[in-house]
Amino acid sequence: MSQNIDNEKPINIAIIGLGGQGVITLTKLIANVSFGLGKKVCYNEIHGLSQRGGSVQSLLRINEAENPVFAAKDADYIIGLEKLETLRYLYLAKGSTAKVIITNKYLIRPTSDLGYEQFPDEDAIMLEIKKHSSELYLFDALGFEENTKTKFKPLNVAVFSAITTFQELGLPTNKAENLVNEYLGRNMIIRQINKKAFKDGSKWLRKLE
Amino acid sequence: MTSVNNAGDNEEIHTKETQLLMGNRAVVQGLLEAKVGLTTAYPGTPSTEIQMQLYKLSNKGQLYFEFSVNEKVALEIAAASALSGVRSAVIMKHVGLNVASDPLMALAYFGVVGGMVLVVVDDPGCLSSQNEQDSRFWGKFSHLPILEPSTSQEVKDTIVKAFELSERYNSVFIVRLTNYTSLNTSEVEKNVVEEKMNKDGEFFKDVRYIVPARYVYHKELHGKIKAIRADKEFLGFNELRYSDSKSNKLIVTQGSIFPMVEYTRNFGKLDIAILKVSAIHPLSEEQLCEIIKNYKYIYFVEELESYLEDEISAIIAKNNLNVKIIGKEKLRIPQENKITPDVLLEPFTLIAADPDDENTFRYEEIPQLPFEPVIGREDLLLPRTLPRLCDGCSHRGAFYSIKRATSVSTHILPSDIGCYALGQVSPIEVGDFWLCMGASIGTAIGFSLTNNKPVIAIIGDGTFFHAGIPPLIDAVLYNHNITVAILNNRLTAMTGGQPTPSSNEDSSQNQTPVDIEELVKAIGVKWVKSVRVEDVKENTKLVREAMDFEGPSVMIFNGECVVELYKHDFDLGEPPYVDQEICNHCGICFIEFDCPSIVKVEGRIEIKEETCSACNICVNVCPQEAIIPRKK
């Protein structure tokens, strides 16, 4: 019945954010660490207008070779780089067991600022996310960014670092770190910043009760 | 290169290698393994990654690739190359094939000599397109075979095999992907290919390529498609999966959504066989009947149109097969938008149910999932996150000038395909009409002839070269009273910054850029101004002047794509600041100019330094001169 040979259960991950936040890069990082360990992995990306601040989601499945797109209520992990978008796609989470990781980041000024649409306040969004998550973690993006004293702040690399602390995902920290160094190394300055972001990243993650 | 190494030498071993590849990248890998000498394309998402990869390879000298001026030209170049015996490929998105269909339909008649594959990528759900037409229908229309792979591995293998088949039958082969197959990344076993591809060929003249009696070749074409219909290798693309299932039900689906159909089958724990049809055209009656006759109930699960359902239902009827057909409508699978497992969950509960029970398919009202599912309280309806023009986008300057010179009720502004289409929506609202590549100018003429209102066509440089020149010639010829605003950022920005004919930075391709201003003047436009986007006040006056001019007028707005600027330098300079003493909170910068980096914080207008790209257009927009630039 199952498509994978190892008979290991697929781990389904949804990564949610806005254009420009690095959703696709984060997906590639997770996928390539798993692939490097000899696991089956596949992912998809939804793009088009996403570069321009639109909603971006990518779906990633470890221990599955062919179909990255899974159904509602089948995600083991939801990784949200932006709160509003995370709430929008929270219906993907496996109700009682999914782990939800969110950041307290608000990147794009919603058009509703201009009075065209009603916009819920941040606390209300947070409350809803809490209500619908069985296990919720907060990545303190504001803290991380304040601590990063450069204009370029690689939130996705820091979140990647934090995610490697989930043992069940099977992402060894050293392999992950190597990949960050290899994969994101075109510009020397950016390379240094990414390296540091990975080193510090995991300390900004905490579980919310 | 194969995996076989010549024993004893010091050469690097060329081996098989497994890698994660996006479907689009797998296309390129297939083209390399098929040793394709010449490739052409016009940029279009979701096919862009194929083209960008080919572009990079051509810059390294591995093969010939060009971004042709439009899909028609791209196909004509590849056709002549294939007729000269060189393996050739042409890549485009679904709507591109409309443009290229003219040469394709005639080329089909006399076929090719060297293998030729047309890769067309459909966009179900219109994620980045003006429609979601189903390219499978081109097969029957043009009598060209179509293959539709499921995974990246299959994409690569299909491309390689398509070239063999193309040469076996001297026929162009179409490989159809969708945004699912083209943008999914999965494992591919590939042969490392590093050699340089050859594009030297020879065209052998033949009477078949010239005027007389084309119907003879039409007949030949019918014969070809008949032969392909019986080709074992071609039919080998179709696969019956889970044939050991005990059920008398069969799901028939197409290659491009098969992995999702399989996932949903397993998710719902259904023990039902699936027939995956990847050889989309021509369908083989013999092969299909042989499979279908073993089942009692046939379910059709397809994305977009009911292509297989209609075709195979006819085959079933013709052959008097005693099976019950349960189609998309009964299963309540929509004819539009993308297929996802979520969309399939409910149809699969219907597939699992008893098909002979009258109540199974009886629903008074079709319940629909909300377009964007909302969790929780009703008062917490989530606003949509709409794509917007980037911070620092040069189009914003052009839009502001046009907006100041026009009004919604007194002017008509047909727009075109590109990033600047985002200017159509609130709050910018520059753009009233959107059809297809180049249509802004043609429709501007029609609107000006029938409406007593000034008309301004909004078009980008890439789109202008692609299909905007003929309608401008029409405007000159008949002295149509229109204004054309060409937003010239010298690249195809929407698809990620491919060069256009006006690009001048790309020395590697040995291009001679075409000067838009010279071109427009040569066509015979009498009122032409080429301006910088930053000069918004002066440009507003010029837009009015252009509209007052009797006859066609052209205004070229020059500016840089900010995404492209960031590729070279991630620090674009110090953002300007708002002098709070002078600012009177009029809201022009904030609402009308619509810059995402200008925000209202506790009643004050401020510039968000972390996202501002220092384009400084807002400095010229502020009527109070309260926005002060800083030096870079």
Side-chain angles (χ1 to χ4, degrees):
Chain A
M1 198 79 169
S2 173
Q3 296 158 35
N4 57 76
I5 315 148
D6 305 326
N7 257 341
E8 265 191 80
K9 268 189 78 168
I11 303 172
N12 301 340
I13 306 169
I15 302 169
I16 315 289
L18 292 170
Q21 281 195 302
V23 169
I24 308 285
T25 305
L26 177 56
T27 310
K28 284 182 182 169
L29 286 168
I30 298 173
N32 279 290
V33 173
S34 303
F35 188 68
L37 295 168
K39 291 184 190 175
K40 300 253 172 263
V41 56
C42 60
Y43 61 88
N44 92 329
E45 49 191 86
I46 301 293
H47 65 194
L49 297 169
S50 45
Q51 192 165 44
R52 282 144 261 281
S55 172
V56 184
Q57 328 100 45
S58 79
L59 304 177
L60 164 71
R61 301 182 76 203
I62 301 172
N63 301 327
E64 156 64 37
E66 291 189 353
N67 171 44
V69 184
F70 49 83
K73 296 193 171 65
D74 202 19
D76 299 290
Y77 290 83
I78 304 269
I79 301 167
L81 297 185
E82 204 271 351
K83 276 189 285 191
L84 175 66
E85 291 309 302
T86 309
L87 180 55
R88 199 193 305 284
Y89 290 98
L90 213 53
Y91 73 96
L92 291 170
K94 241 179 226 173
S96 54
T97 57
K99 291 185 170 59
V100 178
I101 299 119
I102 56 154
T103 67
N104 50 4
K105 175 104 179 162
Y106 244 161
L107 189 84
I108 305 278
R109 179 186 65 162
T111 42
S112 55
D113 260 22
L114 307 170
Y116 292 104
E117 275 180 273
Q118 273 295 316
F119 199 75
D121 64 34
E122 294 197 48
D123 293 340
I125 291 176
M126 206 47 211
L127 215 71
E128 276 316 282
I129 293 177
K130 259 187 195 158
K131 211 160 79 187
H132 296 280
S133 311
S134 51
E135 226 181 304
L136 184 62
Y137 297 83
L138 176 78
F139 181 89
D140 185 3
L142 300 176
F144 163 74
E145 298 204 340
E146 213 180 287
N147 208 257
T148 311
K149 290 181 183 59
T150 53
K151 191 176 173 181
F152 177 78
K153 298 177 179 77
L155 174 68
N156 55 349
V157 174
V159 170
F160 177 54
S161 162
I163 287 164
T164 59
T165 59
F166 291 97
Q167 298 296 327
E168 313 89 302
L169 272 174
L171 306 170
T173 311
N174 59 335
K175 293 253 155 76
E177 193 169 3
N178 287 345
L179 192 71
V180 168
N181 296 345
E182 267 170 50
Y183 184 77
L184 306 168
R186 263 174 303 174
N187 176 308
M188 273 312 286
I189 306 164
I190 292 181
R191 195 178 174 142
Q192 285 306 320
I193 297 170
N194 279 330
K195 224 171 165 168
K196 196 173 172 314
F198 189 88
K199 277 245 176 327
D200 302 347
S202 55
K203 75 175 184 208
W204 298 99
L205 185 77
R206 66 190 153 91
K207 194 171 176 182
L208 291 180
E209 298 302 335
Chain B
M1 294 291 154
T2 64
S3 55
V4 182
N5 180 32
N6 296 330
D9 64 27
N10 294 326
E11 274 176 40
E12 203 184 324
I13 307 169
H14 293 281
T15 47
K16 285 185 190 298
E17 192 173 271
T18 19
Q19 202 184 342
L20 286 178
L21 280 185
M22 179 191 265
N24 278 339
R25 296 286 295 270
V27 169
V28 178
Q29 182 59 31
L31 295 175
L32 287 175
E33 291 187 24
K35 312 277 158 67
V36 174
L38 181 138
T39 54
T40 56
Y42 184 81
T45 309
S47 71
T48 322
E49 290 83 359
I50 307 175
Q51 304 159 4
M52 287 309 272
Q53 186 65 13
L54 289 171
Y55 181 58
K56 280 183 199 157
L57 292 175
S58 77
N59 284 344
K60 281 195 233 156
Q62 197 171 4
L63 48 70
Y64 182 85
F65 170 76
E66 68 165 54
F67 282 116
S68 305
V69 70
N70 65 28
E71 292 88 352
K72 180 176 181 287
V73 174
L75 193 131
E76 287 158 354
I77 293 171
S81 163
L83 283 167
S84 304
V86 178
R87 281 197 169 185
S88 308
V90 55
I91 291 102
M92 58 192 68
K93 66 186 291 182
H94 59 322
V95 285
L97 190 44
N98 299 338
V99 179
S101 62
D102 206 0
L104 182 73
M105 298 300 277
L107 177 67
Y109 275 31
F110 50 71
V112 287
V113 179
M116 176 163 165
V117 170
L118 160 68
V119 180
V120 58
V121 188
D122 283 13
D123 191 16
C126 306
L127 296 177
S128 48
S129 310
Q130 66 266 40
N131 73 11
E132 52 177 5
Q133 64 189 52
D134 190 330
S135 293
R136 291 179 295 170
F137 288 89
W138 285 110
K140 247 190 138 175
F141 194 29
S142 66
H143 299 303
L144 292 174
I146 300 188
L147 292 167
E148 192 184 280
S150 305
T151 62
S152 294
Q153 180 72 53
E154 282 189 26
V155 168
K156 192 211 83 174
D157 296 342
T158 302
I159 296 279
V160 175
K161 186 59 77 183
F163 275 98
E164 284 173 31
L165 290 166
S166 171
E167 280 166 5
R168 186 176 304 160
Y169 294 101
N170 301 111
S171 167
V172 178
F173 266 64
I174 300 175
V175 175
R176 177 201 186 232
L177 309 184
T178 64
N179 49 25
Y180 176 83
T181 30
S182 74
L183 301 179
N184 280 357
T185 298
S186 57
E187 193 176 315
V188 175
E189 191 181 276
K190 63 175 205 179
N191 297 313
V192 179
V193 182
E194 280 163 353
E195 75 194 78
K196 208 179 152 200
M197 303 304 163
N198 184 8
K199 68 163 173 59
D200 295 336
E202 191 177 356
F203 175 61
F204 294 100
K205 295 180 185 180
D206 191 304
V207 69
R208 63 190 279 117
Y209 300 137
I210 53 176
V211 189
R214 282 284 168 102
Y215 70 84
V216 175
Y217 307 118
H218 189 189
K219 193 175 173 187
E220 196 178 292
L221 180 58
H222 285 133
K224 256 187 215 176
I225 214 80
K226 217 170 167 179
I228 295 168
R229 185 173 277 139
D231 187 295
K232 286 227 158 50
E233 267 188 285
F234 179 73
L235 297 178
F237 282 98
N238 299 333
E239 248 183 285
L240 181 65
R241 297 270 188 106
Y242 305 103
S243 55
D244 54 353
S245 138
K246 303 280 181 295
S247 167
N248 55 8
K249 297 173 179 175
L250 174 71
I251 296 168
V252 178
T253 191
Q254 63 195 107
S256 63
I257 63 166
F258 170 76
M260 286 187 285
V261 172
E262 188 184 41
Y263 164 88
T264 315
R265 172 198 182 272
N266 296 346
F267 191 76
K269 301 189 170 59
L270 267 67
D271 184 28
I272 299 178
I274 309 174
L275 175 62
K276 174 177 104 168
V277 182
S278 285
I280 294 290
H281 181 78
L283 294 169
S284 155
E285 282 191 28
E286 203 187 329
Q287 184 192 34
L288 290 165
C289 288
E290 198 59 36
I291 295 167
I292 288 170
K293 71 176 188 201
N294 301 318
Y295 297 89
K296 203 172 163 201
Y297 305 99
I298 311 295
Y299 296 86
F300 286 96
V301 179
E302 288 180 80
E303 191 168 54
L304 300 178
E305 313 294 339
S306 307
Y307 171 81
L308 292 176
E309 183 179 329
D310 294 349
E311 295 293 313
I312 296 175
S313 295
I315 291 173
I316 288 170
K318 226 162 117 185
N319 291 276
N320 292 317
L321 294 184
N322 187 22
V323 294
K324 191 169 173 180
I325 297 163
I326 297 132
K328 278 184 82 172
E329 203 179 332
K330 259 194 167 170
L331 292 173
R332 298 192 276 149
I333 300 171
Q335 302 269 6
E336 53 287 310
N337 211 341
K338 279 172 85 68
I339 288 288
T340 62
D342 283 348
V343 174
L344 293 179
L345 286 179
E346 198 185 13
F348 269 66
T349 60
L350 298 179
I351 293 173
D354 178 3
D356 290 326
D357 183 347
E358 277 178 27
N359 291 319
T360 297
F361 301 106
R362 214 173 64 193
Y363 284 87
E364 272 83 38
E365 195 186 318
I366 297 178
Q368 282 183 333
L369 270 177
F371 182 64
E372 287 175 315
V374 173
I375 301 175
R377 310 189 311 254
E378 274 181 13
D379 59 335
L380 196 84
L381 287 172
L382 301 183
R384 288 167 303 165
T385 310
L386 296 169
R388 299 170 77 180
L389 292 172
C390 303
D391 299 79
C393 175
S394 62
H395 294 333
R396 198 173 268 115
F399 285 152
Y400 185 75
S401 306
I402 294 167
K403 197 175 164 144
R404 296 303 279 182
T406 59
S407 85
V408 172
S409 56
T410 53
H411 294 74
I412 302 174
L413 312 174
S415 184
D416 225 305
I417 312 284
C419 291
Y420 47 92
L422 296 176
Q424 295 165 23
V425 289
S426 178
I428 293 179
E429 294 176 316
V430 172
D432 302 317
F433 191 75
W434 198 59
L435 199 60
C436 67
M437 292 289 286
S440 60
I441 302 178
T443 56
I445 295 171
F447 287 129
S448 79
L449 287 171
T450 49
N451 293 266
N452 190 22
K453 286 178 179 176
V455 182
I456 305 180
I458 317 285
I459 189 166
D461 54 319
T463 310
F464 176 68
F465 285 114
H466 178 287
I469 298 170
L472 187 61
I473 293 174
D474 191 279
V476 171
L477 182 60
Y478 297 108
N479 204 35
H480 291 305
N481 203 10
I482 60 162
T483 298
V484 178
I486 301 175
L487 312 187
N488 183 24
N489 55 14
R490 288 180 284 119
L491 46 86
T492 315
M494 187 60 136
T495 45
Q498 294 79 14
T500 70
S502 57
S503 304
N504 57 5
E505 286 104 34
D506 191 31
S507 52
S508 56
Q509 284 266 343
N510 200 18
Q511 282 181 196
T512 308
V514 178
D515 187 311
I516 296 184
E517 191 178 350
E518 294 295 320
L519 173 66
V520 168
K521 281 180 180 163
I523 290 173
V525 179
K526 296 284 179 287
W527 193 102
V528 184
K529 286 276 183 314
S530 184
V531 299
R532 286 290 312 173
V533 287
E534 293 85 357
D535 307 327
V536 287
K537 291 191 181 99
E538 180 61 23
N539 291 349
T540 305
K541 280 184 217 147
L542 285 173
V543 173
R544 291 200 182 103
E545 200 183 292
M547 287 188 295
D548 288 342
F549 183 79
E550 278 294 319
S553 53
V554 171
M555 202 161 153
I556 304 158
F557 290 88
N558 300 291
E560 288 73 36
C561 170
V562 68
V563 175
E564 203 60 21
L565 293 178
Y566 273 121
K567 283 182 191 166
H568 302 294
D569 188 358
F570 71 90
D571 189 2
L572 295 181
E574 287 290 305
Y577 64 96
V578 180
D579 189 329
Q580 300 296 339
E581 303 279 301
I582 310 173
C583 174
N584 67 351
H585 309 98
C586 69
I588 283 181
C589 60
F590 181 65
I591 297 171
E592 286 197 34
F593 183 58
D594 184 43
C595 177
S597 286
I598 303 179
V599 290
K600 212 170 180 177
V601 185
E602 289 158 11
R604 290 150 50 102
I605 304 284
E606 283 181 7
I607 290 170
K608 228 161 75 177
E609 296 203 2
E610 58 179 291
T611 53
C612 175
S613 304
C615 71
N616 284 327
I617 301 177
C618 60
V619 172
N620 298 339
V621 165
C622 179
Q624 303 300 318
E625 297 183 2
I627 303 178
I628 318 292
R630 292 192 185 103
K631 273 188 187 153
K632 187 175 177 179

